[in-house]
Amino acid sequence: TSGSLNIKWPNNFEAKNSSVFIFDAFGKVVQQIFPKNNELEIINLKALDVGIYFLKIITPGGKFYTKKVIKTS
């Protein structure tokens, strides 16, 4: 991806109390987002350097989901 990352929440998912983190390849948090509702979340990646990042979503119940993101330009 280059400019932004879109997260579409499932219908039965409570995004409002979740946390979204973006980590660089060294494990440093470079961005943190707190969703306000269950609508589409657009995360701006323009300020990040080209490289590999990890998107981590932590739910209110303590479950987490991780996805690799490659910033190309």
Side-chain angles (χ1 to χ4, degrees), residues 18-33:
S18 297
S19 299
V20 179
F21 298 92
I22 298 179
F23 296 89
D24 65 13
F26 300 104
K28 179 183 171 190
V29 176
V30 294
Q31 204 166 349
Q32 185 174 359
I33 299 98

Side-chain angles (χ1 to χ4, degrees), residues 3-4 9 13 19-20 22 24-25 30 33 37-38 40-42 44 52-53 58 71:
S4 64
W9 303 108
F13 189 80
S19 299
V20 179
I22 298 179
D24 65 13
V30 294
I33 299 98
N37 53 45
N38 278 23
L40 179 70
E41 190 74 36
I42 300 172
N44 186 346
I52 297 174
Y53 296 89
I58 302 174
K71 171 88 182 326

